[in-house]
Amino acid sequence: MNYELGSKWSFCDGTTSGNVKVNAFLMNIDDWILWKNGGAFWYAENVQKVQSKGLELMTDWSYKLFGMRTSSGLNYTYTSAQRVESINNTNALNRQLEYVPLHSGNVFTTTAYKNFDFTFDGSYTDEQFTDEEDKNILASYFLLNAAVTYKLKINENNKIRINGMINNLLDKDYQSSWGYAMPGINYRISITYNFK
């Protein structure tokens, strides 16, 4: 059974426009399928009864900054997901489910200048349980990325897009799954050629 209530507010005034959306939800789920890390492999396990409830806030804005077109946004999610009944004897009753962060969110901004786009985005993930015990908890982390894109229009039928990215700009040491280290600061360059 799923209940959801949402609202959206929109704004437009000359060069500035944006939206703010808020959703609240409540789900009661029988036999929630939970993927668990078995070491060498992952396996699915049914959780007898789970209650998930939370709040989502989503924003997006378009405006001019120093005469340049800019788009920005902020998103936040609060998700409480707990076992409320279990066939198995477990210490994890009425506690946050594994690999479901209580708080998560991201922020982004892109500014266009002539043929260039400059983008920054950051994401936050709260701490996460990885098993039914209160151990092997993944620490919370914040990741920051940056990108520069150059768009070259040769003619109506031929366009080139060059994109350079720096991921994990702060060189954060983090894990998204227990025992699996994620890359530190890393770089990517891509060239896309569009033609008709």
Side-chain angles (χ1 to χ4, degrees), residues 1 26-34 46-53 80-86 95 97 100:
M1 186 65 73
L26 170 65
M27 293 186 291
N28 290 309
I29 302 155
D30 293 332
D31 295 320
W32 174 296
I33 297 175
L34 180 68
N46 279 20
V47 178
Q48 186 177 4
K49 190 168 184 178
V50 169
Q51 184 177 81
S52 178
K53 56 189 175 184
S80 170
Q82 300 180 352
R83 287 177 177 84
V84 289
E85 289 181 24
S86 178
R95 189 209 72 183
L97 269 180
V100 180

mmCIF file with all atom_site columns, all heavy atoms in Angstrom, residues 1 26-34 46-53 80-86 95 97 100:
data_model
loop_
_atom_site.group_PDB
_atom_site.id
_atom_site.type_symbol
_atom_site.label_atom_id
_atom_site.label_alt_id
_atom_site.label_comp_id
_atom_site.label_asym_id
_atom_site.label_entity_id
_atom_site.label_seq_id
_atom_site.pdbx_PDB_ins_code
_atom_site.Cartn_x
_atom_site.Cartn_y
_atom_site.Cartn_z
_atom_site.occupancy
_atom_site.B_iso_or_equiv
_atom_site.pdbx_formal_charge
_atom_site.auth_seq_id
_atom_site.auth_comp_id
_atom_site.auth_asym_id
_atom_site.auth_atom_id
_atom_site.pdbx_PDB_model_num
ATOM 1   N N   . MET A 1 1   ? 0.856  -1.183  0.000  1.00 0.00 ? 1   MET A N   1
ATOM 2   C CA  . MET A 1 1   ? 0.000  0.000   0.000  1.00 0.00 ? 1   MET A CA  1
ATOM 3   C C   . MET A 1 1   ? 0.889  1.228   0.000  1.00 0.00 ? 1   MET A C   1
ATOM 4   O O   . MET A 1 1   ? 1.833  1.327   0.784  1.00 0.00 ? 1   MET A O   1
ATOM 5   C CB  . MET A 1 1   ? -0.902 -0.016  1.236  1.00 0.00 ? 1   MET A CB  1
ATOM 6   C CG  . MET A 1 1   ? -1.921 1.105   1.251  1.00 0.00 ? 1   MET A CG  1
ATOM 7   S SD  . MET A 1 1   ? -3.135 1.011   -0.081 1.00 0.00 ? 1   MET A SD  1
ATOM 8   C CE  . MET A 1 1   ? -4.127 -0.354  0.471  1.00 0.00 ? 1   MET A CE  1
ATOM 9   N N   . LEU A 1 26  ? 4.408  7.376   2.039  1.00 0.00 ? 26  LEU A N   1
ATOM 10  C CA  . LEU A 1 26  ? 4.347  6.319   3.052  1.00 0.00 ? 26  LEU A CA  1
ATOM 11  C C   . LEU A 1 26  ? 4.027  5.025   2.332  1.00 0.00 ? 26  LEU A C   1
ATOM 12  O O   . LEU A 1 26  ? 3.053  4.949   1.578  1.00 0.00 ? 26  LEU A O   1
ATOM 13  C CB  . LEU A 1 26  ? 3.274  6.625   4.099  1.00 0.00 ? 26  LEU A CB  1
ATOM 14  C CG  . LEU A 1 26  ? 2.945  5.500   5.085  1.00 0.00 ? 26  LEU A CG  1
ATOM 15  C CD1 . LEU A 1 26  ? 4.148  5.188   5.969  1.00 0.00 ? 26  LEU A CD1 1
ATOM 16  C CD2 . LEU A 1 26  ? 1.736  5.851   5.923  1.00 0.00 ? 26  LEU A CD2 1
ATOM 17  N N   . MET A 1 27  ? 4.870  4.008   2.523  1.00 0.00 ? 27  MET A N   1
ATOM 18  C CA  . MET A 1 27  ? 4.650  2.707   1.897  1.00 0.00 ? 27  MET A CA  1
ATOM 19  C C   . MET A 1 27  ? 4.728  1.607   2.952  1.00 0.00 ? 27  MET A C   1
ATOM 20  O O   . MET A 1 27  ? 5.667  1.592   3.757  1.00 0.00 ? 27  MET A O   1
ATOM 21  C CB  . MET A 1 27  ? 5.719  2.425   0.826  1.00 0.00 ? 27  MET A CB  1
ATOM 22  C CG  . MET A 1 27  ? 5.650  3.322   -0.376 1.00 0.00 ? 27  MET A CG  1
ATOM 23  S SD  . MET A 1 27  ? 6.815  2.842   -1.689 1.00 0.00 ? 27  MET A SD  1
ATOM 24  C CE  . MET A 1 27  ? 8.383  3.235   -0.922 1.00 0.00 ? 27  MET A CE  1
ATOM 25  N N   . ASN A 1 28  ? 3.759  0.717   2.937  1.00 0.00 ? 28  ASN A N   1
ATOM 26  C CA  . ASN A 1 28  ? 3.791  -0.497  3.746  1.00 0.00 ? 28  ASN A CA  1
ATOM 27  C C   . ASN A 1 28  ? 3.945  -1.671  2.784  1.00 0.00 ? 28  ASN A C   1
ATOM 28  O O   . ASN A 1 28  ? 3.083  -1.892  1.927  1.00 0.00 ? 28  ASN A O   1
ATOM 29  C CB  . ASN A 1 28  ? 2.514  -0.638  4.580  1.00 0.00 ? 28  ASN A CB  1
ATOM 30  C CG  . ASN A 1 28  ? 2.448  0.401   5.678  1.00 0.00 ? 28  ASN A CG  1
ATOM 31  O OD1 . ASN A 1 28  ? 3.389  0.558   6.447  1.00 0.00 ? 28  ASN A OD1 1
ATOM 32  N ND2 . ASN A 1 28  ? 1.347  1.131   5.757  1.00 0.00 ? 28  ASN A ND2 1
ATOM 33  N N   . ILE A 1 29  ? 5.041  -2.398  2.909  1.00 0.00 ? 29  ILE A N   1
ATOM 34  C CA  . ILE A 1 29  ? 5.400  -3.415  1.911  1.00 0.00 ? 29  ILE A CA  1
ATOM 35  C C   . ILE A 1 29  ? 5.576  -4.773  2.576  1.00 0.00 ? 29  ILE A C   1
ATOM 36  O O   . ILE A 1 29  ? 6.323  -4.904  3.547  1.00 0.00 ? 29  ILE A O   1
ATOM 37  C CB  . ILE A 1 29  ? 6.703  -3.015  1.190  1.00 0.00 ? 29  ILE A CB  1
ATOM 38  C CG1 . ILE A 1 29  ? 6.517  -1.646  0.536  1.00 0.00 ? 29  ILE A CG1 1
ATOM 39  C CG2 . ILE A 1 29  ? 7.113  -4.058  0.161  1.00 0.00 ? 29  ILE A CG2 1
ATOM 40  C CD1 . ILE A 1 29  ? 7.784  -0.893  0.329  1.00 0.00 ? 29  ILE A CD1 1
ATOM 41  N N   . ASP A 1 30  ? 4.902  -5.761  2.036  1.00 0.00 ? 30  ASP A N   1
ATOM 42  C CA  . ASP A 1 30  ? 5.110  -7.155  2.449  1.00 0.00 ? 30  ASP A CA  1
ATOM 43  C C   . ASP A 1 30  ? 6.128  -7.783  1.511  1.00 0.00 ? 30  ASP A C   1
ATOM 44  O O   . ASP A 1 30  ? 6.081  -7.570  0.295  1.00 0.00 ? 30  ASP A O   1
ATOM 45  C CB  . ASP A 1 30  ? 3.799  -7.943  2.394  1.00 0.00 ? 30  ASP A CB  1
ATOM 46  C CG  . ASP A 1 30  ? 2.798  -7.452  3.427  1.00 0.00 ? 30  ASP A CG  1
ATOM 47  O OD1 . ASP A 1 30  ? 3.225  -6.928  4.474  1.00 0.00 ? 30  ASP A OD1 1
ATOM 48  O OD2 . ASP A 1 30  ? 1.584  -7.575  3.180  1.00 0.00 ? 30  ASP A OD2 1
ATOM 49  N N   . ASP A 1 31  ? 7.054  -8.548  2.049  1.00 0.00 ? 31  ASP A N   1
ATOM 50  C CA  . ASP A 1 31  ? 8.072  -9.270  1.281  1.00 0.00 ? 31  ASP A CA  1
ATOM 51  C C   . ASP A 1 31  ? 8.944  -8.335  0.439  1.00 0.00 ? 31  ASP A C   1
ATOM 52  O O   . ASP A 1 31  ? 9.081  -8.496  -0.776 1.00 0.00 ? 31  ASP A O   1
ATOM 53  C CB  . ASP A 1 31  ? 7.424  -10.345 0.385  1.00 0.00 ? 31  ASP A CB  1
ATOM 54  C CG  . ASP A 1 31  ? 6.770  -11.436 1.200  1.00 0.00 ? 31  ASP A CG  1
ATOM 55  O OD1 . ASP A 1 31  ? 7.365  -11.834 2.224  1.00 0.00 ? 31  ASP A OD1 1
ATOM 56  O OD2 . ASP A 1 31  ? 5.672  -11.889 0.829  1.00 0.00 ? 31  ASP A OD2 1
ATOM 57  N N   . TRP A 1 32  ? 9.494  -7.345  1.104  1.00 0.00 ? 32  TRP A N   1
ATOM 58  C CA  . TRP A 1 32  ? 10.468 -6.434  0.470  1.00 0.00 ? 32  TRP A CA  1
ATOM 59  C C   . TRP A 1 32  ? 11.676 -7.264  0.042  1.00 0.00 ? 32  TRP A C   1
ATOM 60  O O   . TRP A 1 32  ? 12.231 -8.028  0.828  1.00 0.00 ? 32  TRP A O   1
ATOM 61  C CB  . TRP A 1 32  ? 10.858 -5.364  1.474  1.00 0.00 ? 32  TRP A CB  1
ATOM 62  C CG  . TRP A 1 32  ? 11.949 -4.407  1.088  1.00 0.00 ? 32  TRP A CG  1
ATOM 63  C CD1 . TRP A 1 32  ? 13.249 -4.698  0.834  1.00 0.00 ? 32  TRP A CD1 1
ATOM 64  C CD2 . TRP A 1 32  ? 11.836 -2.983  0.960  1.00 0.00 ? 32  TRP A CD2 1
ATOM 65  N NE1 . TRP A 1 32  ? 13.951 -3.543  0.568  1.00 0.00 ? 32  TRP A NE1 1
ATOM 66  C CE2 . TRP A 1 32  ? 13.111 -2.477  0.631  1.00 0.00 ? 32  TRP A CE2 1
ATOM 67  C CE3 . TRP A 1 32  ? 10.783 -2.078  1.105  1.00 0.00 ? 32  TRP A CE3 1
ATOM 68  C CZ2 . TRP A 1 32  ? 13.365 -1.119  0.451  1.00 0.00 ? 32  TRP A CZ2 1
ATOM 69  C CZ3 . TRP A 1 32  ? 11.040 -0.733  0.926  1.00 0.00 ? 32  TRP A CZ3 1
ATOM 70  C CH2 . TRP A 1 32  ? 12.311 -0.267  0.592  1.00 0.00 ? 32  TRP A CH2 1
ATOM 71  N N   . ILE A 1 33  ? 12.115 -7.135  -1.207 1.00 0.00 ? 33  ILE A N   1
ATOM 72  C CA  . ILE A 1 33  ? 13.291 -7.865  -1.684 1.00 0.00 ? 33  ILE A CA  1
ATOM 73  C C   . ILE A 1 33  ? 14.527 -7.025  -1.396 1.00 0.00 ? 33  ILE A C   1
ATOM 74  O O   . ILE A 1 33  ? 14.665 -5.913  -1.900 1.00 0.00 ? 33  ILE A O   1
ATOM 75  C CB  . ILE A 1 33  ? 13.179 -8.185  -3.183 1.00 0.00 ? 33  ILE A CB  1
ATOM 76  C CG1 . ILE A 1 33  ? 11.983 -9.103  -3.426 1.00 0.00 ? 33  ILE A CG1 1
ATOM 77  C CG2 . ILE A 1 33  ? 14.470 -8.841  -3.688 1.00 0.00 ? 33  ILE A CG2 1
ATOM 78  C CD1 . ILE A 1 33  ? 11.709 -9.390  -4.877 1.00 0.00 ? 33  ILE A CD1 1
ATOM 79  N N   . LEU A 1 34  ? 15.412 -7.553  -0.570 1.00 0.00 ? 34  LEU A N   1
ATOM 80  C CA  . LEU A 1 34  ? 16.617 -6.858  -0.157 1.00 0.00 ? 34  LEU A CA  1
ATOM 81  C C   . LEU A 1 34  ? 17.833 -7.614  -0.690 1.00 0.00 ? 34  LEU A C   1
ATOM 82  O O   . LEU A 1 34  ? 17.990 -8.806  -0.432 1.00 0.00 ? 34  LEU A O   1
ATOM 83  C CB  . LEU A 1 34  ? 16.688 -6.784  1.376  1.00 0.00 ? 34  LEU A CB  1
ATOM 84  C CG  . LEU A 1 34  ? 17.880 -6.085  1.992  1.00 0.00 ? 34  LEU A CG  1
ATOM 85  C CD1 . LEU A 1 34  ? 17.837 -4.589  1.692  1.00 0.00 ? 34  LEU A CD1 1
ATOM 86  C CD2 . LEU A 1 34  ? 17.901 -6.303  3.497  1.00 0.00 ? 34  LEU A CD2 1
ATOM 87  N N   . ASN A 1 46  ? 14.025 -11.942 1.231  1.00 0.00 ? 46  ASN A N   1
ATOM 88  C CA  . ASN A 1 46  ? 12.762 -11.273 1.508  1.00 0.00 ? 46  ASN A CA  1
ATOM 89  C C   . ASN A 1 46  ? 12.739 -10.799 2.963  1.00 0.00 ? 46  ASN A C   1
ATOM 90  O O   . ASN A 1 46  ? 13.086 -11.550 3.874  1.00 0.00 ? 46  ASN A O   1
ATOM 91  C CB  . ASN A 1 46  ? 11.581 -12.213 1.269  1.00 0.00 ? 46  ASN A CB  1
ATOM 92  C CG  . ASN A 1 46  ? 11.217 -12.295 -0.191 1.00 0.00 ? 46  ASN A CG  1
ATOM 93  O OD1 . ASN A 1 46  ? 12.030 -11.970 -1.055 1.00 0.00 ? 46  ASN A OD1 1
ATOM 94  N ND2 . ASN A 1 46  ? 10.008 -12.745 -0.469 1.00 0.00 ? 46  ASN A ND2 1
ATOM 95  N N   . VAL A 1 47  ? 12.324 -9.551  3.152  1.00 0.00 ? 47  VAL A N   1
ATOM 96  C CA  . VAL A 1 47  ? 12.079 -9.019  4.488  1.00 0.00 ? 47  VAL A CA  1
ATOM 97  C C   . VAL A 1 47  ? 10.572 -9.024  4.669  1.00 0.00 ? 47  VAL A C   1
ATOM 98  O O   . VAL A 1 47  ? 9.835  -8.496  3.828  1.00 0.00 ? 47  VAL A O   1
ATOM 99  C CB  . VAL A 1 47  ? 12.642 -7.588  4.634  1.00 0.00 ? 47  VAL A CB  1
ATOM 100 C CG1 . VAL A 1 47  ? 12.329 -7.047  6.019  1.00 0.00 ? 47  VAL A CG1 1
ATOM 101 C CG2 . VAL A 1 47  ? 14.132 -7.582  4.366  1.00 0.00 ? 47  VAL A CG2 1
ATOM 102 N N   . GLN A 1 48  ? 10.098 -9.641  5.765  1.00 0.00 ? 48  GLN A N   1
ATOM 103 C CA  . GLN A 1 48  ? 8.666  -9.912  5.909  1.00 0.00 ? 48  GLN A CA  1
ATOM 104 C C   . GLN A 1 48  ? 7.803  -8.659  5.756  1.00 0.00 ? 48  GLN A C   1
ATOM 105 O O   . GLN A 1 48  ? 6.851  -8.627  4.984  1.00 0.00 ? 48  GLN A O   1
ATOM 106 C CB  . GLN A 1 48  ? 8.386  -10.559 7.266  1.00 0.00 ? 48  GLN A CB  1
ATOM 107 C CG  . GLN A 1 48  ? 6.935  -11.006 7.428  1.00 0.00 ? 48  GLN A CG  1
ATOM 108 C CD  . GLN A 1 48  ? 6.708  -11.696 8.757  1.00 0.00 ? 48  GLN A CD  1
ATOM 109 O OE1 . GLN A 1 48  ? 7.605  -11.784 9.583  1.00 0.00 ? 48  GLN A OE1 1
ATOM 110 N NE2 . GLN A 1 48  ? 5.499  -12.191 8.957  1.00 0.00 ? 48  GLN A NE2 1
ATOM 111 N N   . LYS A 1 49  ? 8.124  -7.606  6.485  1.00 0.00 ? 49  LYS A N   1
ATOM 112 C CA  . LYS A 1 49  ? 7.318  -6.386  6.384  1.00 0.00 ? 49  LYS A CA  1
ATOM 113 C C   . LYS A 1 49  ? 8.210  -5.182  6.613  1.00 0.00 ? 49  LYS A C   1
ATOM 114 O O   . LYS A 1 49  ? 8.961  -5.119  7.588  1.00 0.00 ? 49  LYS A O   1
ATOM 115 C CB  . LYS A 1 49  ? 6.174  -6.405  7.395  1.00 0.00 ? 49  LYS A CB  1
ATOM 116 C CG  . LYS A 1 49  ? 5.166  -5.293  7.168  1.00 0.00 ? 49  LYS A CG  1
ATOM 117 C CD  . LYS A 1 49  ? 3.906  -5.497  7.992  1.00 0.00 ? 49  LYS A CD  1
ATOM 118 C CE  . LYS A 1 49  ? 2.880  -4.422  7.660  1.00 0.00 ? 49  LYS A CE  1
ATOM 119 N NZ  . LYS A 1 49  ? 1.620  -4.612  8.395  1.00 0.00 ? 49  LYS A NZ  1
ATOM 120 N N   . VAL A 1 50  ? 8.092  -4.201  5.699  1.00 0.00 ? 50  VAL A N   1
ATOM 121 C CA  . VAL A 1 50  ? 8.897  -2.977  5.769  1.00 0.00 ? 50  VAL A CA  1
ATOM 122 C C   . VAL A 1 50  ? 7.961  -1.779  5.674  1.00 0.00 ? 50  VAL A C   1
ATOM 123 O O   . VAL A 1 50  ? 6.988  -1.791  4.913  1.00 0.00 ? 50  VAL A O   1
ATOM 124 C CB  . VAL A 1 50  ? 9.925  -2.923  4.614  1.00 0.00 ? 50  VAL A CB  1
ATOM 125 C CG1 . VAL A 1 50  ? 10.576 -1.551  4.513  1.00 0.00 ? 50  VAL A CG1 1
ATOM 126 C CG2 . VAL A 1 50  ? 10.988 -4.003  4.801  1.00 0.00 ? 50  VAL A CG2 1
ATOM 127 N N   . GLN A 1 51  ? 8.262  -0.768  6.469  1.00 0.00 ? 51  GLN A N   1
ATOM 128 C CA  . GLN A 1 51  ? 7.572  0.512   6.326  1.00 0.00 ? 51  GLN A CA  1
ATOM 129 C C   . GLN A 1 51  ? 8.581  1.553   5.875  1.00 0.00 ? 51  GLN A C   1
ATOM 130 O O   . GLN A 1 51  ? 9.627  1.741   6.508  1.00 0.00 ? 51  GLN A O   1
ATOM 131 C CB  . GLN A 1 51  ? 6.915  0.962   7.621  1.00 0.00 ? 51  GLN A CB  1
ATOM 132 C CG  . GLN A 1 51  ? 6.104  2.248   7.431  1.00 0.00 ? 51  GLN A CG  1
ATOM 133 C CD  . GLN A 1 51  ? 5.382  2.680   8.690  1.00 0.00 ? 51  GLN A CD  1
ATOM 134 O OE1 . GLN A 1 51  ? 5.984  3.296   9.560  1.00 0.00 ? 51  GLN A OE1 1
ATOM 135 N NE2 . GLN A 1 51  ? 4.098  2.350   8.785  1.00 0.00 ? 51  GLN A NE2 1
ATOM 136 N N   . SER A 1 52  ? 8.279  2.198   4.764  1.00 0.00 ? 52  SER A N   1
ATOM 137 C CA  . SER A 1 52  ? 9.144  3.239   4.224  1.00 0.00 ? 52  SER A CA  1
ATOM 138 C C   . SER A 1 52  ? 8.349  4.537   4.156  1.00 0.00 ? 52  SER A C   1
ATOM 139 O O   . SER A 1 52  ? 7.240  4.562   3.628  1.00 0.00 ? 52  SER A O   1
ATOM 140 C CB  . SER A 1 52  ? 9.640  2.841   2.827  1.00 0.00 ? 52  SER A CB  1
ATOM 141 O OG  . SER A 1 52  ? 10.441 3.862   2.279  1.00 0.00 ? 52  SER A OG  1
ATOM 142 N N   . LYS A 1 53  ? 8.926  5.589   4.708  1.00 0.00 ? 53  LYS A N   1
ATOM 143 C CA  . LYS A 1 53  ? 8.255  6.886   4.673  1.00 0.00 ? 53  LYS A CA  1
ATOM 144 C C   . LYS A 1 53  ? 9.306  7.969   4.526  1.00 0.00 ? 53  LYS A C   1
ATOM 145 O O   . LYS A 1 53  ? 10.471 7.783   4.902  1.00 0.00 ? 53  LYS A O   1
ATOM 146 C CB  . LYS A 1 53  ? 7.422  7.112   5.932  1.00 0.00 ? 53  LYS A CB  1
ATOM 147 C CG  . LYS A 1 53  ? 8.204  6.990   7.223  1.00 0.00 ? 53  LYS A CG  1
ATOM 148 C CD  . LYS A 1 53  ? 7.287  7.013   8.428  1.00 0.00 ? 53  LYS A CD  1
ATOM 149 C CE  . LYS A 1 53  ? 8.081  6.756   9.707  1.00 0.00 ? 53  LYS A CE  1
ATOM 150 N NZ  . LYS A 1 53  ? 7.233  6.669   10.894 1.00 0.00 ? 53  LYS A NZ  1
ATOM 151 N N   . SER A 1 80  ? 13.022 7.074   5.586  1.00 0.00 ? 80  SER A N   1
ATOM 152 C CA  . SER A 1 80  ? 13.046 6.139   6.711  1.00 0.00 ? 80  SER A CA  1
ATOM 153 C C   . SER A 1 80  ? 12.492 4.819   6.198  1.00 0.00 ? 80  SER A C   1
ATOM 154 O O   . SER A 1 80  ? 11.330 4.740   5.801  1.00 0.00 ? 80  SER A O   1
ATOM 155 C CB  . SER A 1 80  ? 12.200 6.671   7.862  1.00 0.00 ? 80  SER A CB  1
ATOM 156 O OG  . SER A 1 80  ? 12.037 5.682   8.854  1.00 0.00 ? 80  SER A OG  1
ATOM 157 N N   . ALA A 1 81  ? 13.329 3.772   6.164  1.00 0.00 ? 81  ALA A N   1
ATOM 158 C CA  . ALA A 1 81  ? 12.907 2.441   5.706  1.00 0.00 ? 81  ALA A CA  1
ATOM 159 C C   . ALA A 1 81  ? 13.310 1.436   6.783  1.00 0.00 ? 81  ALA A C   1
ATOM 160 O O   . ALA A 1 81  ? 14.493 1.225   7.018  1.00 0.00 ? 81  ALA A O   1
ATOM 161 C CB  . ALA A 1 81  ? 13.559 2.100   4.369  1.00 0.00 ? 81  ALA A CB  1
ATOM 162 N N   . GLN A 1 82  ? 12.314 0.849   7.441  1.00 0.00 ? 82  GLN A N   1
ATOM 163 C CA  . GLN A 1 82  ? 12.596 -0.009  8.597  1.00 0.00 ? 82  GLN A CA  1
ATOM 164 C C   . GLN A 1 82  ? 11.842 -1.331  8.515  1.00 0.00 ? 82  GLN A C   1
ATOM 165 O O   . GLN A 1 82  ? 10.711 -1.382  8.020  1.00 0.00 ? 82  GLN A O   1
ATOM 166 C CB  . GLN A 1 82  ? 12.185 0.710   9.888  1.00 0.00 ? 82  GLN A CB  1
ATOM 167 C CG  . GLN A 1 82  ? 12.911 2.017   10.132 1.00 0.00 ? 82  GLN A CG  1
ATOM 168 C CD  . GLN A 1 82  ? 12.471 2.677   11.429 1.00 0.00 ? 82  GLN A CD  1
ATOM 169 O OE1 . GLN A 1 82  ? 11.529 2.237   12.082 1.00 0.00 ? 82  GLN A OE1 1
ATOM 170 N NE2 . GLN A 1 82  ? 13.152 3.746   11.790 1.00 0.00 ? 82  GLN A NE2 1
ATOM 171 N N   . ARG A 1 83  ? 12.506 -2.377  9.009  1.00 0.00 ? 83  ARG A N   1
ATOM 172 C CA  . ARG A 1 83  ? 11.807 -3.652  9.219  1.00 0.00 ? 83  ARG A CA  1
ATOM 173 C C   . ARG A 1 83  ? 10.837 -3.440  10.382 1.00 0.00 ? 83  ARG A C   1
ATOM 174 O O   . ARG A 1 83  ? 11.241 -3.011  11.448 1.00 0.00 ? 83  ARG A O   1
ATOM 175 C CB  . ARG A 1 83  ? 12.782 -4.747  9.650  1.00 0.00 ? 83  ARG A CB  1
ATOM 176 C CG  . ARG A 1 83  ? 13.698 -5.277  8.595  1.00 0.00 ? 83  ARG A CG  1
ATOM 177 C CD  . ARG A 1 83  ? 14.643 -6.300  9.235  1.00 0.00 ? 83  ARG A CD  1
ATOM 178 N NE  . ARG A 1 83  ? 15.510 -6.916  8.263  1.00 0.00 ? 83  ARG A NE  1
ATOM 179 C CZ  . ARG A 1 83  ? 16.652 -6.396  7.835  1.00 0.00 ? 83  ARG A CZ  1
ATOM 180 N NH1 . ARG A 1 83  ? 17.058 -5.222  8.295  1.00 0.00 ? 83  ARG A NH1 1
ATOM 181 N NH2 . ARG A 1 83  ? 17.394 -7.040  6.952  1.00 0.00 ? 83  ARG A NH2 1
ATOM 182 N N   . VAL A 1 84  ? 9.589  -3.798  10.162 1.00 0.00 ? 84  VAL A N   1
ATOM 183 C CA  . VAL A 1 84  ? 8.640  -3.742  11.282 1.00 0.00 ? 84  VAL A CA  1
ATOM 184 C C   . VAL A 1 84  ? 8.209  -5.144  11.711 1.00 0.00 ? 84  VAL A C   1
ATOM 185 O O   . VAL A 1 84  ? 7.717  -5.332  12.820 1.00 0.00 ? 84  VAL A O   1
ATOM 186 C CB  . VAL A 1 84  ? 7.405  -2.873  10.934 1.00 0.00 ? 84  VAL A CB  1
ATOM 187 C CG1 . VAL A 1 84  ? 7.794  -1.411  10.869 1.00 0.00 ? 84  VAL A CG1 1
ATOM 188 C CG2 . VAL A 1 84  ? 6.753  -3.304  9.646  1.00 0.00 ? 84  VAL A CG2 1
ATOM 189 N N   . GLU A 1 85  ? 8.433  -6.125  10.812 1.00 0.00 ? 85  GLU A N   1
ATOM 190 C CA  . GLU A 1 85  ? 8.215  -7.536  11.159 1.00 0.00 ? 85  GLU A CA  1
ATOM 191 C C   . GLU A 1 85  ? 9.248  -8.375  10.435 1.00 0.00 ? 85  GLU A C   1
ATOM 192 O O   . GLU A 1 85  ? 9.659  -8.041  9.321  1.00 0.00 ? 85  GLU A O   1
ATOM 193 C CB  . GLU A 1 85  ? 6.819  -8.007  10.753 1.00 0.00 ? 85  GLU A CB  1
ATOM 194 C CG  . GLU A 1 85  ? 5.690  -7.447  11.576 1.00 0.00 ? 85  GLU A CG  1
ATOM 195 C CD  . GLU A 1 85  ? 4.329  -7.978  11.138 1.00 0.00 ? 85  GLU A CD  1
ATOM 196 O OE1 . GLU A 1 85  ? 4.292  -9.083  10.539 1.00 0.00 ? 85  GLU A OE1 1
ATOM 197 O OE2 . GLU A 1 85  ? 3.334  -7.295  11.377 1.00 0.00 ? 85  GLU A OE2 1
ATOM 198 N N   . SER A 1 86  ? 9.690  -9.451  11.081 1.00 0.00 ? 86  SER A N   1
ATOM 199 C CA  . SER A 1 86  ? 10.661 -10.342 10.454 1.00 0.00 ? 86  SER A CA  1
ATOM 200 C C   . SER A 1 86  ? 10.436 -11.768 10.928 1.00 0.00 ? 86  SER A C   1
ATOM 201 O O   . SER A 1 86  ? 10.200 -11.999 12.117 1.00 0.00 ? 86  SER A O   1
ATOM 202 C CB  . SER A 1 86  ? 12.085 -9.897  10.792 1.00 0.00 ? 86  SER A CB  1
ATOM 203 O OG  . SER A 1 86  ? 13.029 -10.783 10.231 1.00 0.00 ? 86  SER A OG  1
ATOM 204 N N   . ARG A 1 95  ? 14.939 -0.478  12.721 1.00 0.00 ? 95  ARG A N   1
ATOM 205 C CA  . ARG A 1 95  ? 16.182 0.230   12.437 1.00 0.00 ? 95  ARG A CA  1
ATOM 206 C C   . ARG A 1 95  ? 16.271 0.423   10.925 1.00 0.00 ? 95  ARG A C   1
ATOM 207 O O   . ARG A 1 95  ? 15.669 -0.317  10.162 1.00 0.00 ? 95  ARG A O   1
ATOM 208 C CB  . ARG A 1 95  ? 17.375 -0.612  12.935 1.00 0.00 ? 95  ARG A CB  1
ATOM 209 C CG  . ARG A 1 95  ? 18.705 0.105   12.894 1.00 0.00 ? 95  ARG A CG  1
ATOM 210 C CD  . ARG A 1 95  ? 19.847 -0.883  12.697 1.00 0.00 ? 95  ARG A CD  1
ATOM 211 N NE  . ARG A 1 95  ? 19.847 -1.417  11.331 1.00 0.00 ? 95  ARG A NE  1
ATOM 212 C CZ  . ARG A 1 95  ? 20.685 -2.344  10.887 1.00 0.00 ? 95  ARG A CZ  1
ATOM 213 N NH1 . ARG A 1 95  ? 21.558 -2.884  11.701 1.00 0.00 ? 95  ARG A NH1 1
ATOM 214 N NH2 . ARG A 1 95  ? 20.627 -2.772  9.641  1.00 0.00 ? 95  ARG A NH2 1
ATOM 215 N N   . LEU A 1 97  ? 16.999 0.172   7.166  1.00 0.00 ? 97  LEU A N   1
ATOM 216 C CA  . LEU A 1 97  ? 17.392 -0.964  6.335  1.00 0.00 ? 97  LEU A CA  1
ATOM 217 C C   . LEU A 1 97  ? 18.800 -0.794  5.787  1.00 0.00 ? 97  LEU A C   1
ATOM 218 O O   . LEU A 1 97  ? 19.286 0.334   5.626  1.00 0.00 ? 97  LEU A O   1
ATOM 219 C CB  . LEU A 1 97  ? 16.440 -1.108  5.147  1.00 0.00 ? 97  LEU A CB  1
ATOM 220 C CG  . LEU A 1 97  ? 15.220 -1.997  5.293  1.00 0.00 ? 97  LEU A CG  1
ATOM 221 C CD1 . LEU A 1 97  ? 14.420 -1.981  4.007  1.00 0.00 ? 97  LEU A CD1 1
ATOM 222 C CD2 . LEU A 1 97  ? 15.577 -3.409  5.670  1.00 0.00 ? 97  LEU A CD2 1
ATOM 223 N N   . VAL A 1 100 ? 20.183 1.777   2.645  1.00 0.00 ? 100 VAL A N   1
ATOM 224 C CA  . VAL A 1 100 ? 19.206 2.850   2.423  1.00 0.00 ? 100 VAL A CA  1
ATOM 225 C C   . VAL A 1 100 ? 19.619 4.023   3.313  1.00 0.00 ? 100 VAL A C   1
ATOM 226 O O   . VAL A 1 100 ? 19.395 3.991   4.518  1.00 0.00 ? 100 VAL A O   1
ATOM 227 C CB  . VAL A 1 100 ? 17.763 2.399   2.753  1.00 0.00 ? 100 VAL A CB  1
ATOM 228 C CG1 . VAL A 1 100 ? 16.780 3.551   2.496  1.00 0.00 ? 100 VAL A CG1 1
ATOM 229 C CG2 . VAL A 1 100 ? 17.375 1.181   1.952  1.00 0.00 ? 100 VAL A CG2 1
#
